Amino acid sequence: MKLNGKLDYLELPATGGTLDSVKSFYSAAFSWSFTDYGPTYSAFAEGLDGGFQADAGEAAAKPLPVLYSENLEETLDAVENAGGTVVKPIFSFPGGRRFHFTDPAGNELAVWGY
């Protein structure tokens, strides 16, 4: 059952790369699967929680999707091997460690773990 106000969906642009290259990247790096809805849209279902960053020095200019990893070093390697670009190497933050990367479309995401 859907609840009023529940953050329900995250849509990312794929205009900086081809849809196939973006799907291939997330499939290779994170084992995501996709459902195509025509030639220009593909959906994923990979879970979603969220938070807000009020520190202007820490806040991203755009929303920042953050993925979880049980092994950051392995995931960083998978991201690079799949064609992603690490833009912030692994660093510590209160609650764990994380790194940031851009995908083939130019979207910035982060991956966190312990």
Side-chain angles (χ1 to χ4, degrees):
M1 176 198 313
K2 300 214 182 250
L3 301 174
N4 272 347
K6 174 83 171 138
L7 189 57
D8 187 59
Y9 201 81
L10 172 66
E11 193 167 84
L12 297 168
T15 55
T18 66
L19 185 57
D20 285 341
S21 71
V22 172
K23 288 169 43 181
S24 178
F25 169 77
Y26 285 100
S27 178
F30 299 106
S31 301
W32 285 15
S33 58
F34 298 88
T35 302
D36 292 333
Y37 293 97
T40 63
Y41 197 92
S42 192
F44 57 86
E46 302 299 335
L48 182 66
D49 284 324
F52 290 99
Q53 172 59 268
D55 182 336
E58 294 289 323
K62 301 176 187 175
L64 179 69
V66 182
L67 310 175
Y68 176 75
S69 172
E70 293 180 347
N71 186 314
L72 281 179
E73 288 76 14
E74 285 180 7
T75 302
L76 186 142
D77 289 342
V79 163
E80 290 181 319
N81 290 335
T85 302
V86 173
V87 295
K88 287 186 183 178
I90 295 173
F91 63 94
S92 295
F93 72 97
R97 301 179 309 137
R98 74 186 202 188
F99 69 91
H100 293 209
F101 69 92
T102 55
D103 68 14
N107 297 303
E108 183 174 341
L109 289 85
V111 180
W112 85 277
Y114 296 103

XYZ file of all heavy atoms in Angstrom:
863
model
N 0.841 -1.175 0.000
C 0.000 0.000 0.000
C 0.885 1.236 0.000
O 1.822 1.348 0.762
C -0.894 0.008 1.246
C -1.693 1.271 1.290
S -2.478 1.839 2.793
C -3.294 0.545 3.527
N 0.591 2.164 -0.859
C 1.343 3.418 -0.929
C 0.805 4.378 0.124
O -0.378 4.413 0.396
C 1.217 4.020 -2.312
C 1.749 3.089 -3.377
C 2.370 3.871 -4.491
C 2.841 2.940 -5.567
N 4.255 2.843 -5.673
N 1.715 5.152 0.704
C 1.345 6.124 1.729
C 1.551 7.529 1.193
O 2.544 7.802 0.504
C 2.198 5.923 2.979
C 2.115 4.543 3.632
C 3.122 4.450 4.772
C 0.707 4.287 4.145
N 0.656 8.452 1.527
C 0.810 9.856 1.145
C 2.138 10.385 1.647
O 2.483 10.206 2.810
C -0.310 10.705 1.734
C -1.526 10.761 0.851
O -1.489 10.371 -0.306
N -2.619 11.247 1.409
N 2.879 11.054 0.782
C 4.119 11.698 1.182
C 5.322 10.788 1.193
O 6.438 11.259 1.394
N 5.167 9.486 0.992
C 6.298 8.555 1.018
C 7.109 8.727 -0.254
O 6.572 8.674 -1.360
C 5.777 7.119 1.120
C 6.839 6.057 1.008
C 7.515 5.826 2.328
C 8.410 4.608 2.240
N 9.666 4.784 2.874
N 8.402 8.985 -0.109
C 9.284 9.071 -1.259
C 9.265 7.715 -1.943
O 9.596 6.700 -1.346
C 10.697 9.443 -0.821
C 11.697 9.788 -1.899
C 11.205 10.940 -2.762
C 13.024 10.141 -1.268
N 8.843 7.699 -3.195
C 8.490 6.446 -3.835
C 9.355 6.091 -5.033
O 9.419 4.940 -5.419
C 7.023 6.544 -4.265
C 6.460 5.256 -4.785
O 6.471 4.269 -4.040
O 6.012 5.254 -5.945
N 10.039 7.044 -5.633
C 10.701 6.765 -6.904
C 11.843 7.738 -7.111
O 11.749 8.900 -6.693
C 9.668 6.935 -8.028
C 10.014 6.234 -9.316
C 9.768 4.881 -9.482
C 10.561 6.945 -10.379
C 10.058 4.237 -10.681
C 10.848 6.315 -11.581
C 10.600 4.966 -11.717
O 10.885 4.337 -12.906
N 12.903 7.298 -7.703
C 14.049 8.143 -8.034
C 14.290 8.022 -9.529
O 14.494 6.924 -10.031
C 15.294 7.683 -7.266
C 16.607 8.347 -7.640
C 16.582 9.826 -7.265
C 17.762 7.649 -6.953
N 14.251 9.139 -10.229
C 14.477 9.135 -11.668
C 15.758 9.903 -11.960
O 15.906 11.053 -11.534
C 13.286 9.781 -12.367
C 13.260 9.562 -13.853
C 11.916 9.944 -14.438
O 11.729 11.152 -14.714
O 11.072 9.056 -14.595
N 16.681 9.264 -12.657
C 17.966 9.869 -12.993
C 18.048 10.102 -14.493
O 17.555 9.280 -15.270
C 19.108 8.934 -12.586
C 19.245 8.641 -11.106
C 20.213 7.494 -10.879
C 19.707 9.880 -10.374
N 18.676 11.180 -14.923
C 18.836 11.385 -16.360
C 19.863 10.423 -16.940
O 20.812 10.035 -16.266
C 19.312 12.836 -16.467
C 19.917 13.147 -15.157
C 19.208 12.295 -14.141
N 19.661 10.047 -18.179
C 20.623 9.218 -18.906
C 21.024 9.915 -20.190
O 21.423 9.278 -21.155
C 20.020 7.845 -19.194
N 20.944 11.241 -20.203
C 21.191 12.007 -21.418
C 22.667 12.218 -21.700
O 23.035 12.527 -22.824
C 20.488 13.373 -21.345
O 20.919 14.052 -20.160
C 18.975 13.210 -21.296
N 23.539 12.052 -20.699
C 24.973 12.232 -20.915
C 25.629 11.011 -21.526
O 26.799 11.025 -21.856
N 24.911 9.925 -21.666
C 25.401 8.688 -22.284
C 24.228 8.035 -22.968
O 23.130 8.578 -22.988
N 24.439 6.878 -23.540
C 23.304 6.184 -24.132
C 22.592 5.393 -23.042
O 23.206 5.010 -22.039
C 23.739 5.217 -25.242
O 24.518 4.163 -24.660
C 24.540 5.941 -26.321
N 21.320 5.133 -23.222
C 20.572 4.339 -22.254
C 21.225 2.967 -22.089
O 21.364 2.471 -20.966
C 19.109 4.206 -22.686
C 18.173 3.507 -21.713
C 18.169 4.193 -20.350
C 16.767 3.459 -22.288
N 21.666 2.367 -23.178
C 22.316 1.053 -23.092
C 23.605 1.113 -22.282
O 23.895 0.212 -21.502
C 22.600 0.491 -24.486
C 21.349 -0.022 -25.175
O 20.337 -0.292 -24.476
O 21.372 -0.155 -26.409
N 24.394 2.191 -22.428
C 25.645 2.286 -21.672
C 25.376 2.472 -20.184
O 26.098 1.934 -19.350
C 26.540 3.409 -22.205
O 26.029 4.691 -21.899
N 24.342 3.231 -19.844
C 23.989 3.436 -18.441
C 23.485 2.126 -17.828
O 23.890 1.740 -16.733
C 22.951 4.574 -18.302
C 22.437 4.677 -16.882
C 23.569 5.893 -18.738
N 22.618 1.422 -18.536
C 22.113 0.128 -18.050
C 23.260 -0.870 -17.901
O 23.339 -1.591 -16.901
C 21.061 -0.426 -19.006
C 19.742 0.327 -18.944
C 18.782 -0.041 -20.052
C 18.667 -1.498 -20.355
N 17.738 -1.786 -21.458
N 24.147 -0.909 -18.868
C 25.287 -1.823 -18.817
C 26.174 -1.529 -17.615
O 26.634 -2.435 -16.915
C 26.083 -1.713 -20.113
O 27.216 -2.542 -20.073
N 26.405 -0.238 -17.344
C 27.227 0.151 -16.201
C 26.622 -0.337 -14.889
O 27.288 -0.999 -14.093
C 27.400 1.680 -16.166
C 28.006 2.161 -14.885
C 29.361 2.026 -14.651
C 27.217 2.709 -13.889
C 29.923 2.440 -13.453
C 27.767 3.134 -12.686
C 29.133 2.997 -12.469
N 25.344 -0.015 -14.629
C 24.729 -0.399 -13.351
C 24.557 -1.910 -13.230
O 24.652 -2.470 -12.138
C 23.401 0.345 -13.145
C 23.633 1.779 -12.765
C 23.542 2.797 -13.709
C 23.996 2.123 -11.470
C 23.794 4.112 -13.363
C 24.251 3.434 -11.121
C 24.149 4.427 -12.076
O 24.415 5.730 -11.723
N 24.366 -2.573 -14.333
C 24.286 -4.027 -14.314
C 25.640 -4.633 -13.930
O 25.722 -5.518 -13.082
C 23.839 -4.538 -15.686
O 23.796 -5.942 -15.698
N 26.712 -4.128 -14.528
C 28.052 -4.644 -14.250
C 28.550 -4.263 -12.859
O 29.131 -5.081 -12.152
C 29.035 -4.144 -15.313
N 28.331 -3.022 -12.454
C 28.876 -2.543 -11.178
C 28.057 -3.001 -9.975
O 28.616 -3.265 -8.912
C 28.980 -1.020 -11.179
N 26.719 -3.094 -10.113
C 25.855 -3.341 -8.957
C 24.840 -4.466 -9.151
O 23.983 -4.667 -8.297
C 25.101 -2.052 -8.586
C 26.023 -0.927 -8.213
C 26.229 0.124 -9.093
C 26.697 -0.916 -7.009
C 27.084 1.165 -8.762
C 27.553 0.111 -6.665
C 27.753 1.156 -7.544
N 24.892 -5.155 -10.302
C 23.962 -6.259 -10.600
C 22.509 -5.811 -10.669
O 21.609 -6.579 -10.339
C 24.126 -7.404 -9.592
O 25.429 -7.900 -9.613
N 22.268 -4.574 -11.071
C 20.894 -4.096 -11.223
C 20.259 -4.762 -12.437
O 20.940 -5.121 -13.402
C 20.866 -2.591 -11.427
C 21.126 -1.769 -10.202
C 21.650 -2.190 -9.017
C 20.900 -0.376 -10.056
N 21.763 -1.136 -8.151
C 21.306 -0.007 -8.763
C 20.401 0.598 -10.903
C 21.219 1.292 -8.290
C 20.313 1.903 -10.435
C 20.719 2.239 -9.137
N 18.947 -4.897 -12.397
C 18.200 -5.360 -13.564
C 17.202 -4.274 -13.955
O 16.860 -3.410 -13.147
C 17.491 -6.677 -13.268
O 16.624 -6.538 -12.173
N 16.733 -4.327 -15.188
C 15.930 -3.249 -15.738
C 14.710 -3.774 -16.470
O 14.706 -4.878 -16.984
C 16.766 -2.412 -16.719
C 17.941 -1.757 -16.059
C 19.155 -2.418 -15.963
C 17.836 -0.498 -15.506
C 20.236 -1.831 -15.330
C 18.903 0.096 -14.872
C 20.109 -0.564 -14.785
N 13.676 -2.942 -16.519
C 12.498 -3.174 -17.338
C 12.390 -2.005 -18.291
O 12.285 -0.854 -17.868
C 11.222 -3.259 -16.466
O 11.388 -4.317 -15.511
C 9.997 -3.512 -17.327
N 12.454 -2.298 -19.579
C 12.376 -1.250 -20.588
C 10.930 -0.876 -20.869
O 10.066 -1.744 -20.978
C 13.041 -1.703 -21.887
C 14.542 -1.848 -21.744
O 15.137 -1.159 -20.897
O 15.125 -2.660 -22.487
N 10.698 0.428 -20.981
C 9.395 0.982 -21.358
C 9.622 1.871 -22.576
O 9.685 3.086 -22.467
C 8.778 1.781 -20.211
C 8.402 0.918 -19.031
C 9.252 0.793 -17.941
C 7.207 0.209 -19.031
C 8.908 -0.018 -16.868
C 6.856 -0.600 -17.969
C 7.715 -0.715 -16.884
O 7.376 -1.519 -15.829
N 9.804 1.256 -23.710
C 10.091 1.997 -24.927
C 11.582 2.208 -25.098
O 12.389 1.764 -24.279
N 11.973 2.922 -26.153
C 13.393 3.067 -26.473
C 14.156 4.072 -25.609
O 15.383 4.093 -25.631
C 13.372 3.520 -27.935
C 12.066 4.231 -28.077
C 11.104 3.502 -27.177
N 13.447 4.906 -24.840
C 14.153 5.961 -24.103
C 13.949 5.898 -22.593
O 14.352 6.815 -21.881
C 13.720 7.361 -24.590
O 12.330 7.540 -24.330
C 14.004 7.537 -26.074
N 13.325 4.830 -22.065
C 13.088 4.764 -20.624
C 13.267 3.340 -20.136
O 12.743 2.395 -20.733
C 11.682 5.243 -20.266
C 11.544 5.584 -18.793
C 11.766 6.875 -18.345
C 11.239 4.610 -17.855
C 11.678 7.194 -17.010
C 11.146 4.922 -16.510
C 11.368 6.211 -16.089
O 11.287 6.522 -14.762
N 13.982 3.208 -19.029
C 14.188 1.909 -18.411
C 14.085 2.076 -16.901
O 14.687 2.985 -16.330
C 15.567 1.356 -18.794
O 15.678 0.014 -18.431
N 13.314 1.211 -16.266
C 13.071 1.312 -14.822
C 13.920 0.295 -14.062
O 14.276 -0.756 -14.582
C 11.593 1.078 -14.529
N 14.227 0.635 -12.808
C 14.906 -0.285 -11.897
C 14.149 -0.303 -10.587
O 13.413 0.632 -10.272
C 16.370 0.109 -11.678
C 16.569 1.510 -11.158
C 16.526 1.781 -9.800
C 16.812 2.560 -12.034
C 16.714 3.069 -9.322
C 17.002 3.853 -11.565
C 16.955 4.108 -10.208
N 14.316 -1.348 -9.805
C 13.687 -1.463 -8.490
C 14.754 -1.957 -7.519
O 14.980 -3.147 -7.387
C 12.503 -2.435 -8.536
N 15.425 -1.011 -6.858
C 16.561 -1.361 -6.012
C 16.470 -0.810 -4.583
O 17.464 -0.744 -3.891
C 17.865 -0.881 -6.672
C 18.114 -1.454 -8.053
C 18.233 -2.971 -8.082
O 18.595 -3.581 -7.058
O 17.950 -3.551 -9.141
N 15.298 -0.398 -4.117
C 15.144 0.084 -2.745
C 15.445 1.562 -2.616
O 16.161 2.127 -3.421
N 14.876 2.232 -1.592
C 15.092 3.670 -1.438
C 14.801 4.128 -0.014
O 13.728 3.886 0.511
C 14.180 4.444 -2.408
C 14.296 5.958 -2.429
C 15.667 6.385 -2.945
C 13.216 6.543 -3.304
N 15.783 4.757 0.631
C 15.626 5.530 1.852
C 16.228 6.887 1.533
O 16.723 7.096 0.432
C 16.362 4.881 3.037
C 15.633 3.671 3.595
O 14.389 3.691 3.607
O 16.299 2.717 4.019
N 16.261 7.823 2.467
C 16.822 9.123 2.145
C 17.159 9.962 3.343
O 16.903 9.573 4.487
N 17.744 11.134 3.120
C 18.094 12.080 4.161
C 18.393 13.431 3.555
O 18.511 13.558 2.339
N 18.514 14.447 4.397
C 18.823 15.802 3.953
C 20.135 16.240 4.579
O 20.398 15.948 5.740
C 17.723 16.781 4.377
C 16.439 16.602 3.635
C 15.393 15.899 4.199
C 16.272 17.141 2.366
C 14.202 15.723 3.517
C 15.088 16.972 1.673
C 14.051 16.270 2.258
N 20.964 16.994 3.843
C 22.221 17.551 4.342
C 22.055 19.056 4.442
O 21.857 19.744 3.430
C 23.367 17.191 3.386
C 24.686 17.857 3.684
C 25.237 17.555 5.056
O 24.977 18.296 6.012
N 25.955 16.469 5.179
N 22.116 19.616 5.671
C 21.924 21.051 5.883
C 23.233 21.832 5.893
O 23.209 23.055 5.879
C 21.182 21.286 7.191
N 24.381 21.167 5.920
C 25.676 21.831 5.907
C 26.012 22.202 4.468
O 26.243 21.330 3.623
C 26.736 20.894 6.485
C 28.119 21.524 6.549
O 28.410 22.470 5.783
O 28.922 21.056 7.374
N 26.043 23.500 4.165
C 26.273 23.960 2.801
C 27.619 23.479 2.249
O 27.760 23.259 1.053
C 26.191 25.484 2.733
N 28.591 23.287 3.120
C 29.899 22.802 2.682
C 29.897 21.330 2.317
O 30.775 20.867 1.604
N 28.948 20.597 2.819
C 28.855 19.160 2.564
C 27.768 18.807 1.562
O 27.795 17.734 0.962
C 28.579 18.413 3.874
C 29.712 18.490 4.875
C 30.909 17.667 4.435
O 30.725 16.585 3.855
O 32.045 18.121 4.674
N 26.785 19.663 1.396
C 25.626 19.347 0.560
C 26.003 19.345 -0.919
O 26.742 20.202 -1.392
C 24.512 20.363 0.799
N 25.476 18.364 -1.634
C 25.658 18.316 -3.083
C 24.776 19.371 -3.733
O 23.728 19.744 -3.190
C 25.281 16.924 -3.596
N 25.177 19.857 -4.896
C 24.385 20.860 -5.607
C 23.082 20.265 -6.133
O 22.102 20.967 -6.306
C 25.198 21.435 -6.762
N 23.088 18.969 -6.390
C 21.912 18.240 -6.870
C 21.636 17.109 -5.888
O 22.500 16.764 -5.090
C 22.202 17.638 -8.245
C 22.581 18.642 -9.296
C 22.945 17.918 -10.576
C 23.497 18.872 -11.604
N 23.967 18.169 -12.795
N 20.466 16.508 -5.946
C 20.234 15.334 -5.105
C 21.323 14.288 -5.349
O 21.789 14.106 -6.474
C 18.866 14.823 -5.569
C 18.179 16.054 -6.080
C 19.286 16.856 -6.735
N 21.747 13.638 -4.287
C 22.828 12.656 -4.359
C 22.302 11.273 -4.004
O 22.083 10.984 -2.822
C 23.970 13.040 -3.409
C 25.152 12.077 -3.370
C 25.926 12.121 -4.692
C 26.070 12.428 -2.206
N 22.075 10.418 -4.984
C 21.706 9.040 -4.656
C 22.884 8.356 -3.967
O 24.033 8.499 -4.389
C 21.432 8.394 -6.021
C 21.215 9.533 -6.958
C 22.049 10.663 -6.423
N 22.618 7.636 -2.893
C 23.655 6.937 -2.138
C 23.295 5.460 -2.083
O 22.219 5.095 -1.612
C 23.799 7.520 -0.714
C 24.918 6.809 0.035
C 24.060 9.024 -0.755
N 24.201 4.631 -2.560
C 24.022 3.189 -2.561
C 24.788 2.592 -1.386
O 25.705 3.212 -0.857
C 24.554 2.598 -3.874
C 24.051 3.271 -5.151
C 24.750 2.671 -6.363
C 22.554 3.133 -5.266
N 24.443 1.366 -0.996
C 25.134 0.678 0.098
C 26.032 -0.418 -0.460
O 25.702 -1.046 -1.467
C 24.128 0.063 1.073
C 24.804 -0.731 2.159
C 25.451 -0.091 3.203
C 24.841 -2.123 2.110
C 26.105 -0.806 4.188
C 25.491 -2.846 3.091
C 26.123 -2.185 4.126
O 26.778 -2.898 5.087
N 27.139 -0.662 0.197
C 28.038 -1.753 -0.169
C 28.531 -2.460 1.084
O 28.857 -1.805 2.079
C 29.247 -1.215 -0.940
O 30.210 -2.238 -1.127
N 28.618 -3.770 1.014
C 29.200 -4.548 2.115
C 30.716 -4.511 2.067
O 31.373 -4.834 3.044
C 28.704 -5.992 2.064
C 27.219 -6.096 2.364
C 26.716 -7.531 2.325
O 27.437 -8.433 1.840
O 25.579 -7.740 2.786
N 31.310 -4.138 0.911
C 32.758 -4.048 0.770
C 33.078 -2.896 -0.174
O 33.005 -3.044 -1.399
C 33.318 -5.367 0.238
C 34.834 -5.365 0.203
O 35.459 -4.406 -0.248
N 35.432 -6.449 0.676
N 33.429 -1.754 0.400
C 33.647 -0.546 -0.409
C 34.764 -0.710 -1.431
O 34.644 -0.249 -2.566
C 33.958 0.656 0.487
C 32.776 1.332 1.163
C 33.262 2.493 2.022
C 31.763 1.801 0.157
N 35.849 -1.349 -1.035
C 36.974 -1.497 -1.952
C 36.576 -2.336 -3.172
O 36.904 -1.976 -4.315
C 38.183 -2.120 -1.233
C 38.873 -1.188 -0.247
C 38.125 -0.985 1.081
O 37.188 -1.763 1.381
O 38.471 -0.051 1.816
N 35.861 -3.423 -2.964
C 35.406 -4.250 -4.080
C 34.431 -3.476 -4.967
O 34.480 -3.563 -6.198
C 34.740 -5.528 -3.582
C 35.702 -6.562 -3.074
C 35.008 -7.820 -2.598
O 33.769 -7.962 -2.783
O 35.705 -8.678 -2.013
N 33.530 -2.702 -4.344
C 32.561 -1.942 -5.113
C 33.238 -0.826 -5.892
O 32.897 -0.570 -7.050
C 31.457 -1.381 -4.197
O 30.829 -2.481 -3.533
C 30.420 -0.604 -4.982
N 34.218 -0.165 -5.297
C 34.967 0.863 -6.016
C 35.625 0.253 -7.246
O 35.558 0.822 -8.344
C 36.008 1.509 -5.094
C 36.741 2.704 -5.701
C 36.975 3.771 -4.631
C 38.060 2.290 -6.293
N 36.245 -0.924 -7.100
C 36.852 -1.607 -8.249
C 35.801 -1.935 -9.302
O 36.031 -1.754 -10.502
C 37.569 -2.889 -7.812
C 38.845 -2.623 -7.031
O 39.383 -1.489 -7.094
O 39.308 -3.562 -6.347
N 34.624 -2.417 -8.870
C 33.556 -2.766 -9.813
C 33.075 -1.533 -10.567
O 32.808 -1.590 -11.772
C 32.393 -3.434 -9.078
N 32.955 -0.400 -9.868
C 32.534 0.851 -10.500
C 33.539 1.256 -11.573
O 33.176 1.586 -12.709
C 32.358 1.969 -9.446
C 32.321 3.345 -10.080
C 31.099 1.729 -8.627
N 34.822 1.231 -11.235
C 35.850 1.618 -12.207
C 35.901 0.635 -13.379
O 35.984 1.047 -14.536
C 37.211 1.723 -11.531
C 37.303 2.908 -10.588
C 38.656 3.051 -9.928
O 39.254 2.018 -9.523
O 39.120 4.193 -9.804
N 35.813 -0.663 -13.093
C 35.867 -1.674 -14.152
C 34.663 -1.583 -15.083
O 34.754 -1.946 -16.260
C 35.971 -3.081 -13.566
C 37.309 -3.332 -12.919
O 38.308 -2.702 -13.256
N 37.353 -4.258 -11.977
N 33.532 -1.097 -14.569
C 32.322 -0.960 -15.378
C 32.311 0.344 -16.180
O 31.415 0.561 -16.975
C 31.081 -1.035 -14.489
N 33.289 1.220 -15.945
C 33.369 2.465 -16.703
C 32.993 3.714 -15.928
O 32.908 4.795 -16.502
N 32.767 3.587 -14.620
C 32.487 4.756 -13.794
C 33.769 5.500 -13.459
O 34.865 4.953 -13.563
N 33.633 6.761 -13.047
C 34.782 7.587 -12.677
C 34.658 7.980 -11.215
O 33.680 8.623 -10.832
C 34.832 8.863 -13.542
O 34.897 8.476 -14.920
C 36.024 9.727 -13.183
N 35.628 7.591 -10.408
C 35.624 7.952 -8.992
C 36.008 9.421 -8.884
O 37.056 9.832 -9.368
C 36.579 7.054 -8.187
C 36.704 7.537 -6.747
C 36.106 5.603 -8.238
N 35.122 10.229 -8.264
C 35.387 11.657 -8.121
C 35.763 12.036 -6.692
O 36.324 13.108 -6.478
C 34.206 12.520 -8.624
C 34.018 12.339 -10.129
C 32.922 12.218 -7.889
N 35.458 11.180 -5.722
C 35.924 11.332 -4.339
C 36.286 9.939 -3.860
O 35.417 9.083 -3.698
C 34.828 11.901 -3.424
C 34.516 13.360 -3.625
C 33.535 13.850 -2.575
C 33.145 15.287 -2.809
N 32.164 15.763 -1.829
N 37.581 9.674 -3.627
C 37.986 8.364 -3.138
C 37.363 8.069 -1.771
O 36.803 8.965 -1.125
C 39.504 8.462 -3.033
C 39.897 9.679 -3.791
C 38.694 10.583 -3.817
N 37.500 6.846 -1.324
C 36.918 6.424 -0.042
C 37.382 7.360 1.077
O 38.570 7.651 1.209
C 37.304 4.970 0.277
C 36.677 4.032 -0.766
C 36.858 4.593 1.686
C 37.122 2.575 -0.653
N 36.406 7.849 1.856
C 36.697 8.707 3.008
C 35.743 8.334 4.140
O 34.697 7.738 3.916
C 36.585 10.193 2.652
C 35.201 10.638 2.241
C 34.313 11.179 3.172
C 34.790 10.522 0.920
C 33.045 11.597 2.792
C 33.518 10.938 0.525
C 32.647 11.475 1.458
N 36.139 8.690 5.363
C 35.305 8.419 6.538
C 34.346 9.565 6.773
O 34.655 10.724 6.477
C 36.176 8.237 7.786
O 36.978 7.082 7.644
N 33.175 9.240 7.295
C 32.186 10.227 7.722
C 31.505 9.643 8.944
O 31.615 8.441 9.194
C 31.194 10.556 6.592
C 30.222 9.453 6.288
C 28.948 9.456 6.840
C 30.577 8.402 5.466
C 28.049 8.436 6.569
C 29.692 7.383 5.182
C 28.423 7.400 5.742
N 30.802 10.458 9.746
C 30.134 9.906 10.919
C 29.142 8.815 10.492
O 28.224 9.065 9.728
C 29.404 11.107 11.523
C 30.187 12.293 11.066
C 30.663 11.922 9.675
N 29.393 7.610 10.922
C 28.516 6.499 10.583
C 29.108 5.509 9.605
O 28.524 4.465 9.353
N 30.283 5.804 9.025
C 30.863 4.850 8.098
C 31.894 5.460 7.180
O 32.576 6.415 7.529
N 31.984 4.898 5.991
C 32.902 5.379 4.945
C 32.130 5.408 3.636
O 31.136 4.710 3.475
C 34.105 4.436 4.791
C 34.908 4.261 6.051
C 36.092 3.300 5.872
N 35.694 2.032 5.264
C 36.375 1.390 4.306
N 37.496 1.888 3.820
N 35.951 0.245 3.816
N 32.617 6.202 2.681
C 31.965 6.237 1.377
C 32.901 6.785 0.317
O 33.957 7.329 0.619
C 30.670 7.034 1.417
C 30.808 8.537 1.487
C 29.443 9.151 1.676
N 29.394 10.527 1.249
C 28.355 11.319 1.464
N 27.284 10.857 2.076
N 28.355 12.564 1.069
N 32.481 6.641 -0.951
C 33.144 7.279 -2.076
C 32.072 7.776 -3.030
O 30.916 7.360 -2.957
C 34.138 6.337 -2.781
C 33.522 5.188 -3.525
C 33.191 5.312 -4.876
C 33.293 3.971 -2.908
C 32.637 4.246 -5.571
C 32.742 2.900 -3.597
C 32.411 3.038 -4.941
N 32.459 8.704 -3.913
C 31.543 9.251 -4.917
C 32.071 8.891 -6.298
O 33.282 8.829 -6.507
C 31.452 10.774 -4.813
C 30.801 11.261 -3.559
N 30.106 12.450 -3.522
C 30.734 10.752 -2.307
C 29.638 12.643 -2.290
N 30.022 11.620 -1.540
N 31.147 8.701 -7.234
C 31.537 8.412 -8.611
C 30.534 9.036 -9.568
O 29.440 9.430 -9.164
C 31.618 6.893 -8.860
C 30.288 6.196 -8.847
C 29.561 6.009 -10.021
C 29.753 5.718 -7.663
C 28.326 5.365 -10.004
C 28.525 5.074 -7.636
C 27.810 4.893 -8.815
N 30.936 9.149 -10.830
C 30.001 9.531 -11.871
C 29.810 8.339 -12.798
O 30.747 7.572 -13.046
C 30.473 10.760 -12.679
O 31.768 10.519 -13.212
C 30.490 12.015 -11.805
N 28.576 8.203 -13.277
C 28.241 7.121 -14.199
C 28.465 7.587 -15.632
O 28.852 8.747 -15.855
C 26.812 6.619 -13.946
C 25.730 7.611 -14.312
O 25.994 8.605 -15.011
O 24.571 7.391 -13.901
N 28.260 6.725 -16.631
C 28.507 7.142 -18.014
C 27.648 8.314 -18.484
O 28.003 8.966 -19.470
C 28.186 5.877 -18.823
C 28.452 4.757 -17.874
C 28.004 5.283 -16.533
N 26.530 8.601 -17.810
C 25.686 9.745 -18.183
C 26.089 11.019 -17.449
O 25.499 12.069 -17.657
C 24.217 9.436 -17.908
N 27.078 10.927 -16.543
C 27.533 12.098 -15.805
C 26.835 12.319 -14.480
O 27.083 13.314 -13.803
N 25.944 11.404 -14.069
C 25.280 11.519 -12.768
C 26.260 11.191 -11.649
O 27.012 10.222 -11.752
C 24.106 10.526 -12.671
C 23.032 10.814 -13.681
O 22.491 11.911 -13.720
N 22.727 9.830 -14.519
N 26.241 11.991 -10.589
C 27.094 11.691 -9.421
C 26.278 10.898 -8.409
O 25.162 11.275 -8.055
C 27.641 12.959 -8.773
C 28.582 12.648 -7.611
C 29.273 13.872 -7.026
O 29.324 14.909 -7.697
O 29.752 13.766 -5.882
N 26.859 9.806 -7.939
C 26.283 8.981 -6.888
C 27.362 8.729 -5.853
O 28.551 8.951 -6.104
C 25.779 7.634 -7.433
C 24.529 7.680 -8.304
C 24.884 7.973 -9.747
C 23.792 6.365 -8.202
N 26.955 8.236 -4.693
C 27.898 7.837 -3.670
C 27.605 6.392 -3.291
O 26.505 5.890 -3.507
C 27.787 8.743 -2.442
N 28.613 5.749 -2.727
C 28.456 4.398 -2.180
C 28.991 4.434 -0.767
O 30.100 4.939 -0.531
C 29.232 3.340 -3.002
C 29.049 1.961 -2.402
C 28.793 3.358 -4.458
N 28.219 3.925 0.200
C 28.674 3.939 1.577
C 28.672 2.521 2.145
O 28.030 1.627 1.627
C 27.822 4.869 2.435
C 26.566 4.228 2.976
C 25.365 4.076 2.326
C 26.380 3.657 4.268
N 24.465 3.458 3.132
C 25.055 3.175 4.341
C 27.210 3.493 5.373
C 24.543 2.548 5.474
C 26.691 2.873 6.497
C 25.380 2.408 6.541
N 29.430 2.371 3.206
C 29.506 1.116 3.955
C 30.302 1.363 5.225
O 30.623 2.511 5.550
N 30.639 0.299 5.902
C 31.390 0.434 7.155
C 32.863 0.194 6.939
O 33.300 -0.298 5.973
C 30.862 -0.560 8.188
C 29.434 -0.268 8.562
C 28.387 -1.025 8.061
C 29.139 0.798 9.393
C 27.081 -0.742 8.396
C 27.817 1.087 9.736
C 26.797 0.311 9.230
O 25.502 0.601 9.564
